[in-house]
Amino acid sequence: MNHDHYDDDYLRGILTATRTIALIGASPNPARASHGVLGYLTRAGYETYPINPGIAGRELFGRMVYPRLADVPVAIDMVDVFRNSDAIAGVVDEILALPVLPRVMWLQLGIRNDVEAARLEARGVQVVMDRCPAIERPRLIG
């Protein structure tokens, strides 16, 4: 997959097929991008699962915060990641350890790791890097 450019149909397909999203790096701080994106995705109708071990057990936007992906009680369609590029290998390890793989790993703006993307794609997981679903969804779906 060429991660330098994504076809609009590829992104639209992901955003319309996705129902459940685990957001790694969820923050209770309204000034953080992850806070706003979690709120947007929740309001847009996705079933969201915030992930942050530091605030696990609390709620954000009415959704329980989990310490790690393995603790989410349902299969996840998309893992949306707010972590730096160097941390992506650990995220991919977590994803690959799940009993049911998500369909998509979405890395937020400024985050890219081609080696780890290839690892997931080899297992059938779609990857989007350096994009934000809270920007792409309104642009592509309305």
Side-chain angles (χ1 to χ4, degrees), residues 77-127:
D77 294 327
M78 178 196 295
V79 177
D80 186 11
V81 184
F82 281 88
R83 300 279 313 273
N84 67 44
S85 297
D86 293 338
I88 301 308
V91 171
V92 170
D93 288 342
E94 271 193 83
I95 289 171
L96 292 175
L98 294 172
V100 177
L101 294 180
R103 286 185 279 164
V104 179
M105 178 181 73
W106 189 300
L107 302 181
Q108 283 291 332
L109 295 172
I111 307 170
R112 184 167 176 148
N113 188 317
D114 291 281
V115 170
E116 297 305 323
R119 229 173 114 203
L120 283 179
E121 290 170 335
R123 297 286 302 274
V125 177
Q126 293 177 292
V127 176

Short mmCIF file of all heavy atoms in Angstrom, two decimals, residues 77-127:
data_model
loop_
_atom_site.label_atom_id
_atom_site.label_comp_id
_atom_site.label_asym_id
_atom_site.label_seq_id
_atom_site.Cartn_x
_atom_site.Cartn_y
_atom_site.Cartn_z
N ASP A 77 -13.27 -2.57 15.54
CA ASP A 77 -13.10 -2.40 14.10
C ASP A 77 -11.86 -1.58 13.78
O ASP A 77 -11.11 -1.89 12.86
CB ASP A 77 -14.31 -1.68 13.48
CG ASP A 77 -15.58 -2.50 13.55
OD1 ASP A 77 -15.51 -3.74 13.47
OD2 ASP A 77 -16.66 -1.88 13.68
N MET A 78 -11.67 -0.48 14.53
CA MET A 78 -10.56 0.44 14.26
C MET A 78 -9.84 0.79 15.55
O MET A 78 -10.47 1.06 16.57
CB MET A 78 -11.07 1.74 13.62
CG MET A 78 -9.96 2.76 13.37
SD MET A 78 -10.58 4.46 13.07
CE MET A 78 -11.46 4.25 11.54
N VAL A 79 -8.51 0.81 15.48
CA VAL A 79 -7.69 1.31 16.58
C VAL A 79 -7.14 2.65 16.10
O VAL A 79 -6.38 2.70 15.13
CB VAL A 79 -6.55 0.33 16.95
CG1 VAL A 79 -5.68 0.93 18.04
CG2 VAL A 79 -7.12 -1.01 17.37
N ASP A 80 -7.54 3.73 16.75
CA ASP A 80 -7.11 5.08 16.42
C ASP A 80 -6.02 5.45 17.42
O ASP A 80 -6.24 5.39 18.62
CB ASP A 80 -8.31 6.03 16.51
CG ASP A 80 -8.00 7.44 16.06
OD1 ASP A 80 -6.93 7.67 15.47
OD2 ASP A 80 -8.85 8.32 16.30
N VAL A 81 -4.83 5.82 16.92
CA VAL A 81 -3.66 5.92 17.80
C VAL A 81 -3.13 7.35 17.90
O VAL A 81 -2.78 7.97 16.89
CB VAL A 81 -2.53 5.00 17.31
CG1 VAL A 81 -1.35 5.04 18.26
CG2 VAL A 81 -3.03 3.57 17.13
N PHE A 82 -3.07 7.84 19.13
CA PHE A 82 -2.42 9.10 19.48
C PHE A 82 -1.17 8.77 20.30
O PHE A 82 -1.14 8.93 21.52
CB PHE A 82 -3.35 9.97 20.33
CG PHE A 82 -4.39 10.70 19.55
CD1 PHE A 82 -5.61 10.10 19.28
CD2 PHE A 82 -4.17 12.00 19.10
CE1 PHE A 82 -6.59 10.78 18.57
CE2 PHE A 82 -5.15 12.68 18.39
CZ PHE A 82 -6.36 12.07 18.12
N ARG A 83 -0.16 8.25 19.66
CA ARG A 83 1.13 7.95 20.28
C ARG A 83 2.20 8.31 19.26
O ARG A 83 1.92 8.34 18.06
CB ARG A 83 1.25 6.45 20.61
CG ARG A 83 0.22 5.89 21.58
CD ARG A 83 0.50 6.15 23.04
NE ARG A 83 1.85 5.88 23.47
CZ ARG A 83 2.33 4.71 23.87
NH1 ARG A 83 1.53 3.64 23.89
NH2 ARG A 83 3.57 4.58 24.26
N ASN A 84 3.42 8.55 19.70
CA ASN A 84 4.46 8.92 18.74
C ASN A 84 4.88 7.72 17.90
O ASN A 84 4.61 6.57 18.25
CB ASN A 84 5.64 9.60 19.43
CG ASN A 84 6.41 8.66 20.32
OD1 ASN A 84 6.69 7.53 19.97
ND2 ASN A 84 6.77 9.14 21.50
N SER A 85 5.53 8.00 16.79
CA SER A 85 5.90 6.96 15.83
C SER A 85 6.74 5.85 16.45
O SER A 85 6.63 4.69 16.07
CB SER A 85 6.63 7.58 14.64
OG SER A 85 5.78 8.48 13.96
N ASP A 86 7.60 6.21 17.40
CA ASP A 86 8.45 5.20 18.05
C ASP A 86 7.66 4.23 18.91
O ASP A 86 8.13 3.12 19.19
CB ASP A 86 9.51 5.89 18.93
CG ASP A 86 10.51 6.69 18.11
OD1 ASP A 86 10.67 6.40 16.91
OD2 ASP A 86 11.13 7.60 18.68
N ALA A 87 6.47 4.59 19.35
CA ALA A 87 5.65 3.73 20.20
C ALA A 87 4.76 2.79 19.40
O ALA A 87 4.09 1.92 19.98
CB ALA A 87 4.78 4.60 21.12
N ILE A 88 4.76 2.91 18.09
CA ILE A 88 3.82 2.14 17.28
C ILE A 88 4.13 0.64 17.30
O ILE A 88 3.23 -0.19 17.25
CB ILE A 88 3.77 2.68 15.83
CG1 ILE A 88 3.32 4.16 15.84
CG2 ILE A 88 2.85 1.84 14.95
CD1 ILE A 88 2.04 4.44 16.62
N ALA A 89 5.39 0.25 17.42
CA ALA A 89 5.72 -1.18 17.49
C ALA A 89 5.01 -1.84 18.66
O ALA A 89 4.45 -2.93 18.53
CB ALA A 89 7.23 -1.38 17.58
N GLY A 90 4.97 -1.17 19.81
CA GLY A 90 4.27 -1.71 20.97
C GLY A 90 2.77 -1.79 20.75
O GLY A 90 2.12 -2.75 21.18
N VAL A 91 2.22 -0.79 20.06
CA VAL A 91 0.79 -0.81 19.74
C VAL A 91 0.49 -1.98 18.81
O VAL A 91 -0.49 -2.71 19.01
CB VAL A 91 0.34 0.53 19.11
CG1 VAL A 91 -1.09 0.44 18.59
CG2 VAL A 91 0.48 1.68 20.11
N VAL A 92 1.33 -2.18 17.82
CA VAL A 92 1.12 -3.30 16.88
C VAL A 92 1.23 -4.63 17.62
O VAL A 92 0.43 -5.54 17.36
CB VAL A 92 2.09 -3.20 15.69
CG1 VAL A 92 2.06 -4.47 14.83
CG2 VAL A 92 1.74 -1.98 14.83
N ASP A 93 2.16 -4.75 18.53
CA ASP A 93 2.25 -5.98 19.34
C ASP A 93 0.94 -6.22 20.08
O ASP A 93 0.44 -7.35 20.13
CB ASP A 93 3.39 -5.89 20.35
CG ASP A 93 4.77 -5.99 19.71
OD1 ASP A 93 4.88 -6.44 18.56
OD2 ASP A 93 5.75 -5.58 20.38
N GLU A 94 0.37 -5.16 20.68
CA GLU A 94 -0.92 -5.27 21.38
C GLU A 94 -2.02 -5.71 20.43
O GLU A 94 -2.84 -6.57 20.76
CB GLU A 94 -1.31 -3.93 22.00
CG GLU A 94 -0.82 -3.67 23.38
CD GLU A 94 -1.54 -2.48 23.99
OE1 GLU A 94 -2.67 -2.66 24.51
OE2 GLU A 94 -0.98 -1.38 23.92
N ILE A 95 -2.06 -5.10 19.26
CA ILE A 95 -3.09 -5.43 18.28
C ILE A 95 -2.98 -6.90 17.86
O ILE A 95 -3.97 -7.63 17.84
CB ILE A 95 -3.00 -4.50 17.05
CG1 ILE A 95 -3.45 -3.08 17.42
CG2 ILE A 95 -3.82 -5.05 15.88
CD1 ILE A 95 -3.20 -2.03 16.35
N LEU A 96 -1.77 -7.34 17.55
CA LEU A 96 -1.58 -8.70 17.08
C LEU A 96 -1.84 -9.75 18.16
O LEU A 96 -2.07 -10.91 17.85
CB LEU A 96 -0.18 -8.87 16.49
CG LEU A 96 0.06 -8.09 15.19
CD1 LEU A 96 1.52 -8.21 14.75
CD2 LEU A 96 -0.88 -8.54 14.09
N ALA A 97 -1.83 -9.34 19.42
CA ALA A 97 -2.13 -10.26 20.52
C ALA A 97 -3.63 -10.41 20.78
O ALA A 97 -4.04 -11.28 21.55
CB ALA A 97 -1.43 -9.78 21.79
N LEU A 98 -4.45 -9.57 20.14
CA LEU A 98 -5.90 -9.65 20.35
C LEU A 98 -6.46 -10.93 19.76
O LEU A 98 -5.99 -11.39 18.71
CB LEU A 98 -6.59 -8.43 19.73
CG LEU A 98 -6.27 -7.08 20.36
CD1 LEU A 98 -6.87 -5.95 19.51
CD2 LEU A 98 -6.81 -7.00 21.79
N PRO A 99 -7.51 -11.49 20.37
CA PRO A 99 -8.11 -12.71 19.81
C PRO A 99 -8.79 -12.47 18.46
O PRO A 99 -8.85 -13.37 17.63
CB PRO A 99 -9.12 -13.14 20.88
CG PRO A 99 -9.34 -11.95 21.74
CD PRO A 99 -8.13 -11.08 21.62
N VAL A 100 -9.30 -11.26 18.25
CA VAL A 100 -9.89 -10.87 16.96
C VAL A 100 -9.19 -9.59 16.53
O VAL A 100 -9.24 -8.59 17.23
CB VAL A 100 -11.41 -10.62 17.09
CG1 VAL A 100 -11.99 -10.16 15.77
CG2 VAL A 100 -12.13 -11.87 17.59
N LEU A 101 -8.55 -9.65 15.37
CA LEU A 101 -7.83 -8.46 14.90
C LEU A 101 -8.80 -7.39 14.44
O LEU A 101 -9.83 -7.70 13.83
CB LEU A 101 -6.90 -8.83 13.75
CG LEU A 101 -5.73 -9.75 14.07
CD1 LEU A 101 -4.91 -10.01 12.81
CD2 LEU A 101 -4.87 -9.17 15.17
N PRO A 102 -8.48 -6.13 14.69
CA PRO A 102 -9.31 -5.05 14.14
C PRO A 102 -9.12 -5.01 12.63
O PRO A 102 -8.15 -5.57 12.09
CB PRO A 102 -8.73 -3.80 14.81
CG PRO A 102 -7.33 -4.15 15.14
CD PRO A 102 -7.34 -5.62 15.44
N ARG A 103 -10.03 -4.35 11.95
CA ARG A 103 -9.90 -4.21 10.50
C ARG A 103 -8.90 -3.12 10.13
O ARG A 103 -8.32 -3.15 9.06
CB ARG A 103 -11.25 -3.91 9.87
CG ARG A 103 -12.14 -5.14 9.83
CD ARG A 103 -13.41 -4.88 9.09
NE ARG A 103 -14.29 -4.21 10.04
CZ ARG A 103 -15.38 -3.54 9.72
NH1 ARG A 103 -15.74 -3.43 8.49
NH2 ARG A 103 -16.11 -2.97 10.65
N VAL A 104 -8.73 -2.14 11.05
CA VAL A 104 -7.95 -0.95 10.71
C VAL A 104 -7.12 -0.47 11.91
O VAL A 104 -7.62 -0.46 13.03
CB VAL A 104 -8.89 0.23 10.30
CG1 VAL A 104 -8.10 1.49 9.95
CG2 VAL A 104 -9.80 -0.18 9.16
N MET A 105 -5.89 -0.03 11.62
CA MET A 105 -5.14 0.80 12.56
C MET A 105 -4.99 2.16 11.89
O MET A 105 -4.50 2.27 10.77
CB MET A 105 -3.76 0.24 12.87
CG MET A 105 -2.98 1.17 13.83
SD MET A 105 -1.31 0.62 14.25
CE MET A 105 -0.43 0.94 12.72
N TRP A 106 -5.43 3.20 12.59
CA TRP A 106 -5.40 4.57 12.06
C TRP A 106 -4.46 5.38 12.92
O TRP A 106 -4.68 5.52 14.12
CB TRP A 106 -6.81 5.16 12.11
CG TRP A 106 -6.98 6.46 11.41
CD1 TRP A 106 -6.33 7.63 11.66
CD2 TRP A 106 -7.86 6.73 10.32
NE1 TRP A 106 -6.75 8.61 10.81
CE2 TRP A 106 -7.70 8.08 9.97
CE3 TRP A 106 -8.79 5.95 9.62
CZ2 TRP A 106 -8.42 8.68 8.96
CZ3 TRP A 106 -9.51 6.56 8.61
CH2 TRP A 106 -9.32 7.90 8.27
N LEU A 107 -3.38 5.88 12.32
CA LEU A 107 -2.41 6.70 13.04
C LEU A 107 -2.70 8.17 12.77
O LEU A 107 -2.85 8.58 11.62
CB LEU A 107 -0.98 6.37 12.61
CG LEU A 107 -0.55 4.91 12.79
CD1 LEU A 107 0.90 4.74 12.35
CD2 LEU A 107 -0.73 4.46 14.22
N GLN A 108 -2.75 8.94 13.82
CA GLN A 108 -3.14 10.34 13.74
C GLN A 108 -2.10 11.20 13.02
O GLN A 108 -1.01 10.74 12.67
CB GLN A 108 -3.40 10.87 15.15
CG GLN A 108 -4.73 10.43 15.72
CD GLN A 108 -5.90 11.08 15.01
OE1 GLN A 108 -5.82 12.18 14.48
NE2 GLN A 108 -7.04 10.40 15.01
N LEU A 109 -2.45 12.46 12.84
CA LEU A 109 -1.59 13.42 12.14
C LEU A 109 -0.18 13.42 12.73
O LEU A 109 -0.01 13.45 13.95
CB LEU A 109 -2.19 14.82 12.22
CG LEU A 109 -3.53 15.01 11.51
CD1 LEU A 109 -4.12 16.37 11.83
CD2 LEU A 109 -3.38 14.83 10.01
N GLY A 110 0.80 13.36 11.86
CA GLY A 110 2.19 13.40 12.28
C GLY A 110 2.75 12.05 12.70
O GLY A 110 3.92 11.96 13.07
N ILE A 111 1.94 11.00 12.65
CA ILE A 111 2.40 9.67 13.08
C ILE A 111 2.51 8.75 11.88
O ILE A 111 1.55 8.58 11.12
CB ILE A 111 1.44 9.06 14.12
CG1 ILE A 111 1.20 10.02 15.29
CG2 ILE A 111 1.99 7.73 14.63
CD1 ILE A 111 0.09 9.60 16.21
N ARG A 112 3.70 8.18 11.71
CA ARG A 112 3.93 7.27 10.61
C ARG A 112 4.97 6.24 11.02
O ARG A 112 5.97 6.58 11.65
CB ARG A 112 4.40 8.04 9.37
CG ARG A 112 4.56 7.16 8.17
CD ARG A 112 4.72 7.95 6.92
NE ARG A 112 4.97 7.04 5.82
CZ ARG A 112 4.58 7.25 4.59
NH1 ARG A 112 3.93 8.36 4.29
NH2 ARG A 112 4.85 6.39 3.64
N ASN A 113 4.74 4.99 10.65
CA ASN A 113 5.70 3.92 10.89
C ASN A 113 5.44 2.86 9.83
O ASN A 113 4.59 1.98 10.00
CB ASN A 113 5.56 3.37 12.31
CG ASN A 113 6.66 2.40 12.65
OD1 ASN A 113 7.03 1.55 11.84
ND2 ASN A 113 7.19 2.52 13.86
N ASP A 114 6.18 2.93 8.74
CA ASP A 114 5.97 2.05 7.60
C ASP A 114 6.28 0.58 7.92
O ASP A 114 5.61 -0.32 7.40
CB ASP A 114 6.79 2.53 6.40
CG ASP A 114 6.26 3.84 5.85
OD1 ASP A 114 5.25 3.80 5.12
OD2 ASP A 114 6.82 4.91 6.16
N VAL A 115 7.28 0.34 8.74
CA VAL A 115 7.64 -1.03 9.09
C VAL A 115 6.48 -1.71 9.82
O VAL A 115 6.09 -2.83 9.49
CB VAL A 115 8.93 -1.05 9.95
CG1 VAL A 115 9.18 -2.44 10.53
CG2 VAL A 115 10.12 -0.58 9.13
N GLU A 116 5.92 -1.02 10.80
CA GLU A 116 4.83 -1.60 11.57
C GLU A 116 3.54 -1.67 10.75
O GLU A 116 2.74 -2.60 10.91
CB GLU A 116 4.62 -0.84 12.87
CG GLU A 116 5.81 -0.92 13.81
CD GLU A 116 6.24 -2.35 14.13
OE1 GLU A 116 5.37 -3.23 14.27
OE2 GLU A 116 7.46 -2.57 14.26
N ALA A 117 3.35 -0.73 9.84
CA ALA A 117 2.19 -0.79 8.94
C ALA A 117 2.27 -2.06 8.09
O ALA A 117 1.27 -2.78 7.94
CB ALA A 117 2.14 0.44 8.05
N ALA A 118 3.44 -2.36 7.57
CA ALA A 118 3.61 -3.56 6.75
C ALA A 118 3.36 -4.82 7.57
O ALA A 118 2.78 -5.79 7.06
CB ALA A 118 5.02 -3.59 6.16
N ARG A 119 3.76 -4.81 8.83
CA ARG A 119 3.50 -5.95 9.71
C ARG A 119 2.01 -6.23 9.83
O ARG A 119 1.57 -7.38 9.77
CB ARG A 119 4.09 -5.64 11.09
CG ARG A 119 4.94 -6.70 11.68
CD ARG A 119 5.58 -6.20 12.95
NE ARG A 119 5.05 -6.97 14.06
CZ ARG A 119 5.03 -6.58 15.30
NH1 ARG A 119 5.50 -5.41 15.65
NH2 ARG A 119 4.56 -7.35 16.23
N LEU A 120 1.23 -5.17 10.03
CA LEU A 120 -0.22 -5.34 10.15
C LEU A 120 -0.86 -5.72 8.82
O LEU A 120 -1.74 -6.58 8.77
CB LEU A 120 -0.86 -4.07 10.70
CG LEU A 120 -0.72 -3.82 12.18
CD1 LEU A 120 -1.39 -2.51 12.56
CD2 LEU A 120 -1.30 -4.96 13.00
N GLU A 121 -0.43 -5.06 7.77
CA GLU A 121 -1.01 -5.36 6.46
C GLU A 121 -0.77 -6.80 6.05
O GLU A 121 -1.63 -7.41 5.41
CB GLU A 121 -0.46 -4.38 5.42
CG GLU A 121 -1.01 -2.98 5.63
CD GLU A 121 -0.33 -1.90 4.81
OE1 GLU A 121 0.83 -2.08 4.40
OE2 GLU A 121 -0.99 -0.87 4.58
N ALA A 122 0.36 -7.36 6.47
CA ALA A 122 0.63 -8.77 6.19
C ALA A 122 -0.37 -9.69 6.88
O ALA A 122 -0.57 -10.83 6.45
CB ALA A 122 2.06 -9.12 6.62
N ARG A 123 -1.01 -9.19 7.92
CA ARG A 123 -2.02 -9.96 8.66
C ARG A 123 -3.44 -9.56 8.26
O ARG A 123 -4.41 -9.95 8.90
CB ARG A 123 -1.84 -9.75 10.16
CG ARG A 123 -0.51 -10.26 10.72
CD ARG A 123 -0.44 -11.78 10.82
NE ARG A 123 -1.48 -12.35 11.63
CZ ARG A 123 -1.43 -12.49 12.95
NH1 ARG A 123 -0.36 -12.12 13.61
NH2 ARG A 123 -2.44 -13.01 13.60
N GLY A 124 -3.58 -8.71 7.22
CA GLY A 124 -4.89 -8.35 6.71
C GLY A 124 -5.52 -7.13 7.34
O GLY A 124 -6.70 -6.85 7.12
N VAL A 125 -4.75 -6.39 8.14
CA VAL A 125 -5.27 -5.18 8.79
C VAL A 125 -4.95 -3.98 7.90
O VAL A 125 -3.80 -3.78 7.50
CB VAL A 125 -4.64 -4.99 10.19
CG1 VAL A 125 -5.13 -3.70 10.84
CG2 VAL A 125 -4.94 -6.20 11.08
N GLN A 126 -5.97 -3.18 7.59
CA GLN A 126 -5.75 -1.96 6.82
C GLN A 126 -5.08 -0.93 7.72
O GLN A 126 -5.28 -0.91 8.92
CB GLN A 126 -7.09 -1.38 6.33
CG GLN A 126 -7.79 -2.25 5.31
CD GLN A 126 -9.13 -1.64 4.94
OE1 GLN A 126 -10.04 -1.62 5.77
NE2 GLN A 126 -9.25 -1.17 3.72
N VAL A 127 -4.30 -0.04 7.10
CA VAL A 127 -3.58 0.98 7.85
C VAL A 127 -3.76 2.33 7.18
O VAL A 127 -3.70 2.45 5.96
CB VAL A 127 -2.07 0.64 7.95
CG1 VAL A 127 -1.31 1.76 8.65
CG2 VAL A 127 -1.86 -0.69 8.67
#
